[in-house]
Amino acid sequence: MYGQGIMSQNYLFTYYALLLYFTHRFYASYRYLFFSIIIALVSLIAICRNSEIFCVLIPLLYGITSIKDFFPRLRILLSNKLNLIISLLPGLLIIGIQLVYWKIVTGHFFYYSYQDNPGEKVDIFNPYLMEVTLS
């Protein structure tokens, strides 16, 4: 259908594919360049759809099979604090651009864009039965 190419699912699929690829590359080499890319991808995913913020669990839990595997990995990630802070900068920049845009357009740093769109939320008392049935 016309207009389907601009829906967020297309972008999210690509971002998730890249997130899985770079997560694997990061844990194969522990290069912080890949970690920076992971943080940027997580930020882009969260901007596309706020509920997708849980994608941060993919790189955190990648390859973890038990609780005792988690803490050594956490120690490795936190061992080089300077690289960790530098790796967070692309994600903070991406999120910052979005927050500034919302502030300029709406006057608020955080804006829920689905609040005024009919049919874009769960509406128990007006379920759009005819529209769904006949669409």
Side-chain angles (χ1 to χ4, degrees):
M1 286 190 78
Y2 180 75
Q4 296 295 320
I6 60 172
M7 295 187 73
S8 65
Q9 290 89 341
N10 299 323
Y11 300 107
L12 287 172
F13 178 81
T14 303
Y15 293 151
Y16 269 106
L18 290 170
L19 179 65
L20 290 170
Y21 175 75
F22 283 109
T23 298
H24 176 72
R25 293 286 308 265
F26 174 70
Y27 286 117
S29 66
Y30 282 99
R31 290 187 57 203
Y32 278 89
L33 171 66
F34 296 136
F35 190 69
S36 294
I37 295 170
I38 288 169
I39 297 298
L41 287 167
V42 167
S43 300
L44 287 170
I45 290 169
I47 286 174
C48 277
R49 189 175 289 148
N50 296 341
S51 61
E52 298 288 330
I53 191 65
F54 294 106
C55 71
V56 75
L57 295 175
I58 292 172
L60 284 178
L61 301 177
Y62 183 80
I64 302 267
T65 57
S66 69
I67 289 287
K68 66 180 179 179
D69 293 341
F70 181 73
F71 294 107
R73 170 155 319 148
L74 194 59
R75 266 188 246 112
I76 290 170
L77 287 175
L78 297 176
S79 65
N80 194 340
K81 289 181 179 40
L82 180 63
N83 279 343
L84 184 65
I85 291 170
I86 291 171
S87 297
L88 293 174
L89 292 178
L92 292 174
L93 178 67
I94 291 168
I95 297 291
I97 290 170
Q98 182 67 43
L99 294 177
V100 168
Y101 172 77
W102 279 338
K103 180 67 173 173
I104 291 170
V105 171
T106 67
H108 304 285
F109 280 112
F110 296 99
Y111 179 71
Y112 182 61
S113 59
Y114 290 114
Q115 66 190 358
D116 296 327
N117 297 337
E120 295 287 331
K121 60 185 175 184
V122 177
D123 191 359
I124 296 172
F125 300 109
N126 189 10
Y128 299 98
L129 291 176
M130 291 304 291
E131 291 85 354
V132 170
T133 305
L134 300 176
S135 67

